[in-house]
Amino acid sequence: MVEIKRRLRIFIVFFICVTLFGTLGFMFLENQSFLNALYYNIVTMSTVGYGDIHPTHPATRLLAIFIIVLGGGTFIGVIANASEMMLLKREVEQRLKKQNIVLGIFFSEMGYRLLQFFSSCDIDREELADMMAIDVGWSEKELLAMAKTFKRTGLKVDMPKVDLTDLNQFLNKRHTFMLRLLENPVLVEHEGFTELLLALAHMGEELSSRASLTALPGSDLKHLAGDLNRGYHLLVKEWLSHLIHLKKNYPYLYSLAARKNPFNPKASAVVDNS
């Protein structure tokens, strides 16, 4: 998509330059009005050639040849790249929908559980809960502002509060599930989610590689904290991105996701208006 946009911009610049040059040339050489000169330029550039206006001077013929050779390719380039971009945009939108379906399954199977686990062990748990007080009534603008605020926030777990054995058992049970997600072709271009899965897989491998997860030395706990914090950060990042997508495209799915807010200890999927 980025490459197509770059090519389209280049062709548009050339198209504008050739159009201005040709229009001004026909105005000067054929003594035509701006509208007639522009019309003649476009007709020549598109190689339609109605014949109602035609060159009367050798210089005009040379100008027409220049426009046909350079302008024709530019004209076709603009149309071709614009069409390709529209088709690719539709394809990207369809792929994005499928990616978010997979993301929804991931959060239902393990994402929410991990978010609850990490947030309950966060060093700034109360401040984080206030910042992440997302509810059903939030607008897309508020969610986007939250995502920007999150980028400036450092998430850290309090290692003494972390039950490494429980985390290890949970990740081991979801090991096959994560491998299947990594093999899913829909997620090939979703680098953020792939990075998250790799971080969680590495976290599980680190924990499983230790004979015992109790009485670990401080240096090893510090090392594990780096792995946990990285996975925690990526997890929250993907969750917020997923919420924004749901809010924009599927309000009913967003409603459920917001009611299950893992940063709210009192969150519940039950709708209670009492």
Side-chain angles (χ1 to χ4, degrees), residues 1-9 81-95 189:
M1 179 69 81
V2 175
E3 178 63 23
I4 294 175
K5 286 182 179 179
R6 186 183 69 83
R7 292 202 309 264
L8 180 59
R9 284 196 295 267
N81 282 275
S83 301
E84 185 178 358
M85 190 172 70
M86 287 188 291
L87 292 173
L88 185 59
K89 183 179 179 182
R90 182 176 181 181
E91 181 182 337
V92 169
E93 289 174 351
Q94 292 297 322
R95 186 163 58 246
E189 297 183 11

Side-chain angles (χ1 to χ4, degrees), residues 14-49:
F14 272 105
F15 177 78
I16 292 174
C17 291
V18 173
T19 300
L20 289 175
F21 179 75
T23 301
L24 293 175
F26 289 133
M27 287 176 65
F28 176 75
L29 295 173
E30 293 291 336
N31 194 27
Q32 296 284 345
S33 66
F34 174 78
L35 183 59
N36 283 342
L38 177 62
Y39 163 75
Y40 185 28
N41 182 83
I42 297 298
V43 167
T44 303
M45 184 180 293
S46 61
T47 67
V48 173

